[in-house]
Amino acid sequence: MRDALLKWVSTYPTDPGYRDGSFANAQVGKTVRTELPALLKDLLHQPGRYALKGSIGQSDWADVPWVAVMDQSVTTSIQEGYYLVYLLSRGCDRLYLVLGQGCTRLYNESGKKAAEAELKRRGAAMRARAEPSVARLLPIMMNLNAPASNWRASLYEASIILGKEYETQALPSQATLEADYREALELYRLIAREGGWSSDDEIALEAELDGIEGSLAYQKSYRQHRRAERSAKHSREVKKHHKAECAACGFTTKGAYQLTDESDLDILEAHHLIPLHTLADGEIARFDIMKNFALLCPNCHRMIHRLGADKLDALRQQVKRTSE
């Protein structure tokens, strides 16, 4: 891990020459996109739960290259949600390990000023949830040294929940880097388990609207479970491999609303068939697309969560009796 980080910070250009031909086939791209994500994945307790990705830019050098670890029940894109990420400052003087937030969607919806204020509000809420368990990470001020015109870098700086700053000329030992990473992962899981930036009242109301009763802890688990179901990645895979109709009532939207086939299919929802109480501690979902998921219409999806996540046959029987 340390060797790969050192290779990244020592070979990334300190003053990138835009469109000078140095970007294409640069070896540091392999380090950031492939090598580091693989090494970080090896340290994960539940690797299937996470998506790991690194970038040095799309078609030319990024001011701030990054490697992110994303809990797929929270986000599968660095444009939204919150995640663990390594960020290298422009000039390569500082490497940051942070729990940060996606800013692109907020920026597109609200503009820079409002996005910055909202990121800070959310960051404060998540930091308050994590701080009792913090030992190594800090509420740092991050300076990515990017041009003022780079709104993403500015919003990254505003998005920090907790983090650690390293001087690239004196990276700490492998043991220290690994310990920092493991704590960041634990805090990431804690924040996700506690509901992210949403208040306890918001979490309870969301569960109650879905007919879910029980303790606040159970409602938080339910919410995280539902986020895993709604993951765009998993939803696409379920829809790709399952018949395009509700597995409970047989309802299909194909042609019903004069939409395209793809839009029709979008109305159906992926449902995870494994009950929460059977999952191991900290496990959110099991991602065997054929075995552990079903496609349901919105009405049947809400009902099965009231009956029990694995009660598909019981729901089918109930639908059958109602229609007779």
Side-chain angles (χ1 to χ4, degrees):
M1 176 184 175
R2 185 183 187 277
D3 289 346
L5 287 172
L6 186 59
K7 189 190 300 185
W8 174 19
V9 303
S10 61
T11 59
Y12 199 81
T14 56
D15 186 18
Y18 295 108
R19 307 198 185 284
D20 64 356
S22 61
F23 178 82
N25 302 316
Q27 285 301 304
V28 69
K30 182 179 179 182
T31 302
V32 172
R33 298 188 191 108
T34 307
E35 219 178 303
L36 260 172
L39 290 167
L40 295 174
K41 187 174 184 177
D42 286 343
L43 296 173
L44 295 173
H45 174 55
Q46 295 172 329
R49 174 175 170 173
Y50 298 92
L52 292 90
K53 185 178 179 181
S55 176
I56 62 170
Q58 295 299 317
S59 58
D60 217 328
W61 298 107
D63 286 326
V64 182
W66 51 266
V67 178
V69 180
M70 295 168 282
D71 182 333
Q72 295 181 90
S73 73
V74 174
T75 186
T76 55
S77 167
I78 65 158
Q79 297 186 358
E80 59 185 343
Y82 51 96
Y83 44 81
L84 185 160
V85 62
Y86 287 92
L87 296 161
L88 181 61
S89 68
R90 181 173 172 83
C92 305
D93 295 323
R94 295 173 299 279
L95 178 68
Y96 294 94
L97 166 63
V98 301
L99 291 169
Q101 304 173 65
C103 58
T104 303
R105 175 168 288 189
L106 270 176
Y107 175 84
N108 289 340
E109 291 175 350
S110 309
K112 185 172 181 290
K113 185 176 180 180
E116 182 174 335
E118 179 60 14
L119 288 167
K120 288 180 176 179
R121 183 195 70 80
R122 294 177 179 181
M126 290 186 280
R127 188 159 50 249
R129 284 191 156 134
E131 279 183 333
S133 301
V134 169
R136 307 178 69 87
L137 272 63
L138 300 167
I140 62 172
M141 297 290 289
M142 186 166 66
N143 178 10
L144 294 171
N145 198 35
S149 58
N150 189 329
W151 58 265
R152 282 191 179 87
S154 176
L155 292 180
Y156 287 157
E157 291 169 351
S159 79
I160 298 305
I161 304 165
L162 291 162
K164 201 74 178 282
E165 177 182 315
Y166 307 114
E167 295 296 327
T168 56
Q169 296 301 313
L171 283 182
S173 67
Q174 169 73 19
T176 297
L177 290 167
E178 193 171 314
D180 291 343
Y181 175 62
R182 290 188 187 281
E183 175 169 296
L185 284 170
E186 286 300 320
L187 294 173
Y188 188 18
R189 283 193 286 265
L190 183 154
I191 291 169
R193 187 168 63 246
E194 291 300 310
W197 62 73
S198 298
S199 70
D200 288 351
D201 287 345
E202 289 170 333
I203 293 167
L205 178 60
E206 181 180 332
E208 288 165 7
L209 288 173
D210 278 355
I212 303 301
E213 299 178 350
S215 68
L216 179 61
Y218 182 80
Q219 290 174 327
K220 287 179 177 179
S221 295
Y222 165 76
R223 183 176 187 269
Q224 199 174 6
H225 180 85
R226 286 287 277 140
R227 288 182 72 92
E229 287 185 329
R230 292 166 179 160
S231 159
K233 176 183 176 182
H234 298 134
S235 183
R236 282 195 303 269
E237 288 301 307
V238 173
K239 291 174 181 180
K240 187 188 299 183
H241 291 93
H242 286 259
K243 189 175 180 181
E245 66 179 32
C246 177
C249 70
F251 175 74
T252 176
T253 59
K254 188 173 177 65
Y257 304 111
Q258 297 182 335
L259 302 173
T260 64
D261 287 350
E262 183 178 351
S263 296
D264 280 338
L265 192 56
D266 281 346
I267 296 171
L268 297 174
E269 300 176 350
H271 169 67
H272 188 238
L273 292 162
I274 308 299
L276 279 175
H277 70 270
T278 67
L279 297 174
D281 185 32
E283 190 179 8
I284 299 165
R286 295 178 190 151
F287 296 116
D288 184 318
I289 296 300
M290 294 304 297
K291 182 179 178 182
N292 298 331
F293 283 84
L295 272 182
L296 297 173
C297 68
N299 286 343
C300 287
H301 198 183
R302 177 166 289 192
M303 183 56 66
I304 201 170
H305 277 291
R306 297 186 181 190
L307 293 175
D310 59 344
K311 302 298 184 184
L312 182 56
D313 286 339
L315 180 57
R316 285 171 175 155
Q317 291 302 315
Q318 186 170 321
V319 170
K320 185 179 178 181
R321 286 195 300 271
T322 303
S323 61
E324 287 177 348

